[in-house]
């Protein structure tokens, strides 16, 4: 042992202790204000700071501490925080996570006084946030997927924008004829579940049966969706490719490799910036089996956690962020589509031709089943669908196989429901 | 009298080893047993909310893993990483050690530090850096390739090149550590043996084969066992660089375990993955020991 290690170590420990104490003091200035911890993800995390000062001005007794969380880590971070009892007071959550967070009892349901926050909203988005009849989170911004299409190529093929599956397929065949050899009509990456899920949601049958405890993928309407999906590949309208094989969606779109592309509002900016002005494109609602069809509502909600000691202040923040005027401002900053329908009337939103189709698509949106296992179920659905495209299954056997896998994933949920342990 | 003394000595002996026994028990044995028990349950997000939702499921987690294609994909990727990475990293380490050990090299401490530096730098920071080096358009690696007339490679964007790309990074990162071990043992090889071999007319390669290699064989075995264990536990590199993509081509067993455990919160199933990984590493190590014994290495 080197002489003198002892005092040094003590000194270091002392310094560390001092640093920790001063660090804690730094986090919570004792000015009597309530400090709300608010987690926000991705671009919202960086941009929400611009609208928070106004909230703090309106509520001088509350200070908001925004923590930006990357999207890729957000879901596991929330669950880890729940396990470690360190959830924030308020957080942005993907609205497909609500059922899961509600199942573990992490969420604080909307208080009676905040019921007005649920007005002026898109019904399908609201439905996603409602668990067992109770609203558990408040929609913040919305999105959904629809079709981005090459208007110039459709015109050259002499077809209008389709509204039914039959018209759509005829249009795709016409487009393929004018697009040139080696080109297709639509891109359906075989590793993405969203496209097939959209076709499935358009059917009459729900995707999960018996209170979302069993797969219902062998129903006639889902088998029809599977058959339609497969036919797009077998008829040469879509390449059998995964999204990683398409390095640049916009260059391929510009080249005419495909003329229909499934995506959400986040692609508008990319397409506007990267496509040449001579490439004319537009957005349109997804065709359904008979007339304009549904798609899955997406976006983020605001959740207040049951563990928060500052419930009142937390709901004040949610109320502020849900205000249509604030949402319109936030749309100006981020481009997110506001959850409150009245915020869509502002000139910036209303005047954008590419956004117009989203309003119609959102009003036709249909909520996905609210089982916490849903994400895993659709992941398995797509694994089977890819194999069907590659010839391993027929639509009928694929439906049965997806059911088998879904039932296995939902086994615990059935057990819990049987014993009255879950809703 | 002597029996009393022996007992007293025995007690003293136990007292001396007690601290480490307690530490091993608390920080190793108990967690391992707990993980084994956990792997026999269906601990999931529901159980996290209420322990009453925990069920004992026997070996069901293991059965399901063995029928899960993604798990086998992860096993295959991990095997590929180990199969390519272990010999390559040992070759690079040994090569660097031999060069540094050669009498002709000057400023050896500087070279040693330079070769060892990657090992002690932060993994995440260097991984981010390598992401830039491997970038398809702006990366210096593709710039060098196109400089000699080869086409640019989408290193981290294609399933076929993602494993080699990550391997380059991993080997660069870890070779310094094994190099130090080799360097230490190379310095124990007696010079007179080399001299005698040279006088007998042995060339550089023959001298390496009949003098150096037998002398470092036990170390070679040790290094290969450590490397196999290391490559089987590859996680942070794919996590930072590719997130398991493209097309699950860089999902390793540990990455798969992380996703099971912290993405889907199936801690029971994740524990089962951990135990399968343990059995695999153990089996490979046994094979390595057996091979070494057959080859007559002094273990």
């Amino acid at each position: 042992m080197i002489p003198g290690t002892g005092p040094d170590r003590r000194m270091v420990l002392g310094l560390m202790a001092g640093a920790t104490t001063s660090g804690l003091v730094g986090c919570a200035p004792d000015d009597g204000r309530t400090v709300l911890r608010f987690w926000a993800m991705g671009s919202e995390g960086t941009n929400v700071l611009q609208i928070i000062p106004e909230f703090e001005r309106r509520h001088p007794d509350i200070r908001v501490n925004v923590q930006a969380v990357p999207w890729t880590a957000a879901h596991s971070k929330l669950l880890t925080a729940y396990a470690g009892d360190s959830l924030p007071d308020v957080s942005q959550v993907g609205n497909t996570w609500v059922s899961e967070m509600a199942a573990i009892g992490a969420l604080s349901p909307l208080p009676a006084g905040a019921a007005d926050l649920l007005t002026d909203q898109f019904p399908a988005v609201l439905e996603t946030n409602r668990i067992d009849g109770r609203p558990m989170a408040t929609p913040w911004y919305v999105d959904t997927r629809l079709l981005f299409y090459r208007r110039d190529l459709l015109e050259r093929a002499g077809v209008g924008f389709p509204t039914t599956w039959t018209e759509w397929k005829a249009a795709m065949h016409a487009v393929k004829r004018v697009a040139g050899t080696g080109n297709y009509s639509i891109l359906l990456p075989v590793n993405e579940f969203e496209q097939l899920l959209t076709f499935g949601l358009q059917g009459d049958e729900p995707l999960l049966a018996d209170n979302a405890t069993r797969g219902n993928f062998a129903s006639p309407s889902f088998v029809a969706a599977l058959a339609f999906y497969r036919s797009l590949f077998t008829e040469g309208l879509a390449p059998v490719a995964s999204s990683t094989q398409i390095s640049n969606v916009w260059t391929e779109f510009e080249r005419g490799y495909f003329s229909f592309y499934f995506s959400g509002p986040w692609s508008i900016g990319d397409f506007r910036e990267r496509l040449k002005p001579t490439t004319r494109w537009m957005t349109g609602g997804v065709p359904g089996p008979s007339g304009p069809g549904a798609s899955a509502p997406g976006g983020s909600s605001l959740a207040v956690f049951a563990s928060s000691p500052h419930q009142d202040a937390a709901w004040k923040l949610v109320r502020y962020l849900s205000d249509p005027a604030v949402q319109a401002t936030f749309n100006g900053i981020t481009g997110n589509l506001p959850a409150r329908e009245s915020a869509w009337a502002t000139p910036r939103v209303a005047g954008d031709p590419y956004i117009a189709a989203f309003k119609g698509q959102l009003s036709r949106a249909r909520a996905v089943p609210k089982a916490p296992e849903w994400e895993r179920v659709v992941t398995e659905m797509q694994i089977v669908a890819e194999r069907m495209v590659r010839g391993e299954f027929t639509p009928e056997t694929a439906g049965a196989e997806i059911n088998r896998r879904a039932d296995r994933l939902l086994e615990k949920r059935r057990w819990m429901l049987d014993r009255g342990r879950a809703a | 009298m002597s029996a009393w003394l022996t007992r007293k000595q025995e007690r003293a002996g136990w007292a001396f080893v007690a601290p480490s026994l307690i530490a091993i028990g608390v920080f190793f044995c108990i967690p391992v047993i707990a993980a084994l028990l956990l792997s026999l349950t269906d601990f999931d997000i529901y159980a996290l909310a209420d322990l009453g939702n925990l069920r004992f499921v026997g070996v069901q987690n293991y059965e399901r893993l063995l029928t899960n294609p993604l798990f086998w994909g992860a096993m295959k990727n991990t095997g590929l990483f180990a199969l390519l990475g272990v010999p390559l990293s040992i070759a690079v380490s040994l090569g660097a050690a031999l060069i540094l050990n050669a009498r002709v090299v000057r400023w050896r401490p500087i070279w040693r530090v330079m070769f060892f530096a990657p090992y002690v730098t932060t993994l995440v920071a260097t991984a981010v850096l390598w992401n830039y080096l491997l970038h398809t358009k702006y990366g210096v690696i593709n710039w060098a390739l196109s400089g000699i007339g080869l086409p640019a490679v989408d290193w981290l964007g294609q399933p076929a090149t993602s494993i080699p790309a990550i391997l380059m990074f991993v080997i660069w990162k870890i070779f310094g550590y094994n190099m130090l071990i080799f360097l230490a043992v190379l310095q124990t090889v007696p010079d007179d043996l080399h001299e005698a071999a040279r006088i007998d007319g042995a060339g550089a390669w023959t001298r390496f084969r009949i003098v150096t290699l037998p002398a470092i064989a036990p170390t070679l075995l040790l290094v290969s066992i450590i490397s196999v264990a290391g490559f089987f536990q590859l996680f942070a590199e794919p996590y930072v660089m590719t997130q398991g993509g493209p097309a699950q081509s860089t999902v390793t067993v540990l990455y798969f375990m992380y996703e099971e455990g912290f993405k889907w919160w199936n801690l029971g199933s994740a524990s089962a993955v951990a135990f399968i990984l343990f059995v695999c590493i153990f089996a490979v190590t046994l094979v390595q020991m057996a091979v070494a014994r057959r080859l007559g290495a002094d273990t």
Side-chain angles (χ1 to χ4, degrees):
Chain A
M1 266 281 137
I2 307 156
T5 310
D8 274 351
R9 196 165 49 208
R10 266 202 300 279
M11 204 174 74
V12 169
L13 284 175
L15 277 175
M16 275 162 59
T20 318
T21 329
S22 57
L24 282 174
V25 170
C27 279
D30 194 15
D31 58 0
R33 291 197 291 174
T34 307
V35 178
L36 277 184
R37 285 197 306 140
F38 176 37
W39 285 7
M41 285 102 202
S43 75
E44 290 79 45
T46 24
N47 291 316
V48 79
L49 288 169
Q50 298 180 43
I51 55 172
I52 289 296
E54 171 62 17
F55 172 75
E56 288 178 336
R57 200 186 56 74
R58 291 189 204 173
H59 301 277
D61 54 328
I62 304 173
R63 204 170 63 84
V64 182
N65 183 0
V66 178
Q67 292 175 14
V69 182
W71 268 117
T72 48
H75 182 249
S76 55
K77 242 184 153 70
L78 281 168
L79 290 176
T80 317
Y82 171 77
D85 206 12
S86 55
L87 281 168
D89 300 292
V90 188
S91 176
Q92 171 185 2
V93 294
N95 58 23
T96 43
W97 307 344
V98 174
S99 61
E100 187 178 40
M101 306 293 299
I104 56 176
L107 300 180
S108 174
L110 206 73
D116 59 305
L117 294 181
L118 303 180
T119 57
D120 190 24
Q121 301 260 18
F122 292 97
V125 182
L126 212 50
E127 182 51 36
T128 313
N129 289 284
R130 206 187 293 272
I131 308 299
D132 203 21
R134 289 178 87 184
M136 302 300 288
T138 317
W140 187 18
Y141 67 86
V142 292
D143 64 52
T144 189
R145 288 175 193 241
L146 42 59
L147 287 174
F148 287 68
Y149 66 97
R150 285 282 299 271
R151 204 155 63 159
D152 45 0
L153 282 178
L154 259 71
E155 275 168 23
R156 190 144 31 107
V159 287
F161 187 77
T163 53
T164 65
W165 283 0
T166 328
E167 282 175 36
W168 191 16
K169 196 177 266 180
M172 283 192 270
H173 276 293
V175 166
K176 189 177 161 77
R177 278 192 293 275
V178 299
T181 46
N183 285 343
Y184 296 85
S185 302
I186 184 167
L187 181 67
L188 301 167
V190 286
N191 60 336
E192 289 181 4
F193 62 78
E194 284 83 0
Q195 293 82 3
L196 176 59
L197 172 63
T198 305
F199 300 150
L201 275 176
Q202 295 175 338
D204 330 308
E205 295 269 344
L207 299 179
L208 297 182
D210 297 347
N211 195 9
T213 58
R214 285 192 182 276
N216 193 25
F217 295 96
S219 70
S221 71
F222 194 82
V223 170
L226 280 167
F228 179 68
Y229 182 75
R230 189 181 66 158
S231 72
L232 299 179
F233 295 95
T234 52
E235 292 175 27
L237 301 172
V240 183
S242 66
S243 57
T244 49
Q245 286 164 268
I246 310 289
S247 48
N248 264 326
V249 167
W250 45 88
T251 24
E252 301 293 347
F253 188 64
E254 185 144 59
R255 270 183 41 204
Y257 186 59
F258 49 85
S259 302
F260 290 98
Y261 178 61
F262 256 93
S263 194
W266 56 87
S267 286
I268 294 179
D270 269 350
F271 277 33
R272 201 179 256 153
E273 274 168 38
R274 309 206 188 230
L275 297 182
K276 290 192 201 106
T278 47
T279 309
R280 285 187 301 121
W281 58 282
M282 195 28 82
T283 53
V286 189
S290 51
S295 67
S300 285
S301 300
L302 294 165
V304 174
F305 292 107
S307 57
S308 164
H310 312 299
Q311 295 286 325
D312 273 354
W315 283 107
K316 278 180 189 157
L317 178 63
V318 173
R319 174 172 293 280
Y320 168 76
L321 293 172
S322 304
D323 185 82
V326 176
Q327 292 209 334
T329 316
F330 201 49
N331 165 268
I333 301 170
T334 60
N336 287 339
L337 303 179
R340 305 300 284 271
E341 288 193 64
S342 56
W344 286 65
T346 55
R348 193 193 167 277
V349 184
D352 189 327
Y354 299 119
I355 288 183
F358 281 95
K359 179 132 198 204
Q361 190 67 57
L362 275 164
S363 64
R364 287 191 302 277
R366 203 175 277 180
V368 297
K370 285 171 288 186
E373 296 84 354
W374 177 245
E375 191 107 3
R376 285 204 99 162
V377 172
V378 276
T379 308
E380 291 290 324
M381 174 196 83
Q382 191 54 34
I383 290 172
V384 177
E386 176 174 355
R387 294 205 185 159
M388 173 189 74
V389 167
R390 295 187 193 277
E392 246 180 82
F393 294 104
T394 64
E396 288 78 15
T397 55
E401 174 67 16
I402 301 170
N403 267 350
R404 197 182 65 78
R405 295 181 179 216
D407 286 356
R408 197 163 91 170
L409 288 170
L410 293 165
E411 186 272 331
K412 179 97 181 220
R413 182 171 160 80
R414 284 196 296 278
W415 178 81
M416 304 253 306
L417 282 171
D418 285 348
R419 314 185 127 217
R421 287 181 175 278
Chain B
M1 177 70 192
S2 82
W4 177 79
L5 196 68
T6 323
R7 234 185 12 256
K8 198 179 166 192
Q9 274 178 336
E10 227 170 58
R11 264 210 305 276
W14 279 113
F16 276 119
V17 294
S20 44
L21 279 186
I22 291 170
I24 290 173
V26 171
F27 295 110
F28 181 75
C29 295
I30 294 178
V32 167
I33 293 168
L36 182 63
L37 292 179
L38 196 62
S39 77
L40 302 176
T41 68
D42 67 346
F43 196 105
D44 59 4
I45 185 124
Y46 296 120
L48 191 68
D50 177 3
L51 267 185
N53 294 332
L54 188 71
R55 289 180 301 172
F56 181 79
V57 294
V59 293
Q60 195 196 56
N61 285 327
Y62 293 92
E63 279 169 16
R64 286 192 177 175
L65 279 176
L66 297 181
T67 56
N68 185 341
L70 190 55
F71 173 74
W72 287 110
M75 288 291 270
K76 197 196 88 195
N77 293 337
T78 308
L80 213 55
F81 268 118
L83 208 64
L84 296 172
V86 172
L88 270 176
S89 72
I90 289 179
V92 172
S93 304
L94 189 55
L98 285 172
I99 291 171
L100 286 192
N101 198 42
R103 292 281 170 273
V104 289
V105 176
R106 298 179 64 191
W107 300 315
R108 274 193 275 178
I110 294 176
W111 289 107
R112 232 169 16 221
V113 168
M114 274 173 58
F115 286 166
F116 192 63
Y119 184 76
V120 287
T121 46
T122 320
L123 192 143
V124 174
T126 47
V128 171
L129 208 78
W130 270 77
N131 259 350
Y132 285 117
L133 296 183
L134 291 164
H135 195 280
T136 317
K137 268 190 195 157
Y138 321 111
V140 73
I141 293 176
N142 273 347
W143 176 76
L145 281 182
S146 54
I148 55 170
L150 291 172
V153 178
D154 186 6
W155 289 105
L156 296 174
Q158 283 174 4
T161 51
S162 53
I163 286 186
I166 290 185
L167 268 180
M168 278 199 279
F169 166 63
V170 176
I171 290 170
W172 170 83
K173 181 88 177 66
I174 63 166
F175 86 95
Y177 181 75
N178 291 339
M179 179 197 76
L180 277 200
I181 298 179
F182 282 131
L183 207 54
V185 74
L186 279 177
Q187 280 161 4
T188 66
V189 182
D191 276 341
D192 42 354
L193 281 183
H194 274 290
E195 234 163 82
R198 197 165 35 232
I199 292 166
D200 286 347
W205 170 246
T206 319
R207 265 182 285 131
F208 172 73
R209 205 164 49 83
I210 61 169
V211 179
T212 315
L213 217 48
I216 64 168
T219 314
L220 209 56
L221 176 68
L222 172 83
V223 167
S224 70
I225 290 175
I226 295 175
S227 302
V228 165
F231 272 97
F232 268 101
Q233 296 183 49
L234 211 61
F235 166 72
E237 293 84 353
Y239 179 72
V240 176
M241 295 173 79
T242 57
Q243 300 256 320
Q248 272 97 43
S249 65
T250 55
V251 172
T252 61
V253 173
L254 221 61
Y255 191 85
F256 178 81
M257 180 178 95
Y258 165 79
E259 289 217 321
E260 266 310 284
F262 295 102
K263 185 172 175 191
W264 308 116
W265 276 84
N266 282 329
L267 291 181
S269 166
S271 303
V273 177
F275 268 89
I276 294 179
L277 183 63
F278 165 73
V279 169
C280 288
I281 295 179
F282 193 68
V284 171
T285 310
L286 284 184
V287 169
Q288 279 176 312
M289 305 267 279
V291 168
R293 216 168 292 134
R294 281 278 293 280
L295 295 180
D298 182 18
T299 47

